[in-house]
Amino acid sequence: MILQHEISTITQALASVDLPIVFVGRPMGEHTEDVTFVDSDNYAGGRLAAEHLIALGRTRIGVISGPADMAASSDRVRGWRDVLTERGLDTRAVARGDFTMPSGSSAMARLLSRYPDLDAVFAGSDLMAVGAMRVLEASGRTVPDDIALVGFDDTVVAATAEPPLTSVRQPLEQMGRVAAELVMELIAGRTTAPRWLDTTLVVRDSA
């Protein structure tokens, strides 16, 4: 398993190589300001999740974030936090995971112990959301009646969860196509700019 700090180190090393390289996902770290990348608008996705939960009447909304050294994770949480701040809602209910199901379970348990009155949670990945669901069920809380839940990615995990998971969809196939197009532009000697692709909210039964 590659640890997150190792991913950051690899990203920084690649950014300094004099070859046509396009990153899928905005890299973080030193010497990555001028790299070419394609990414989904994770910030807007975090806002979509928060706005949807507030529209449902939820006011005590927690978040399960991904790793601190991943741009996608920080952007999603920043979008969530900005919406709550704009609405005058508390933004302290934050627990960190690593985008895996077990980390979502442990983060949800920590949130419940600190903020037992939560009525909604935004999880930064579908896997973490499903892990959170298991803890909520074990605690006697139902989704979405007691706690509404939104994930991120809109993978097959979201559609097959019970209840099916509302999730922010990022266009993964389109990201791959655009990355290939950008590589071809770099090979041809053309200057390219980072590309941001829109996220959308897929509403199912969890929120």
Side-chain angles (χ1 to χ4, degrees), residues 52-105:
H52 176 70
L53 291 169
I54 292 172
L56 295 176
R58 309 301 171 121
T59 58
R60 300 179 300 280
I61 305 171
V63 68
I64 299 175
S65 75
D69 61 349
M70 293 187 69
S73 172
S74 61
D75 289 348
R76 293 169 194 179
V77 173
R78 187 165 53 88
W80 164 87
R81 180 177 288 112
D82 284 355
V83 170
L84 265 63
T85 299
E86 291 163 9
R87 306 296 180 88
L89 300 177
D90 195 338
T91 62
R92 290 176 295 177
V94 179
R96 191 171 305 284
D98 61 10
F99 287 151
T100 65
M101 197 177 297
S103 75
S105 295

Side-chain angles (χ1 to χ4, degrees), residues 114-133:
R114 299 169 188 167
Y115 307 96
D117 62 342
L118 287 177
D119 60 11
V121 171
F122 166 45
S125 76
D126 292 341
L127 286 174
M128 292 196 300
V130 171
M133 273 189 186

Side-chain angles (χ1 to χ4, degrees), residues 6 20-21 30 53 55 69-70 91 112-113 120 127 144-145 165 168 174 177 189 197-198 200 207:
E6 293 173 340
I21 296 175
E30 298 178 358
L53 291 169
D69 61 349
M70 293 187 69
T91 62
L112 288 179
S113 68
L127 286 174
D145 294 339
L165 179 66
V168 178
Q174 184 183 2
R177 288 195 300 271
L197 304 181
D198 291 339
T200 56

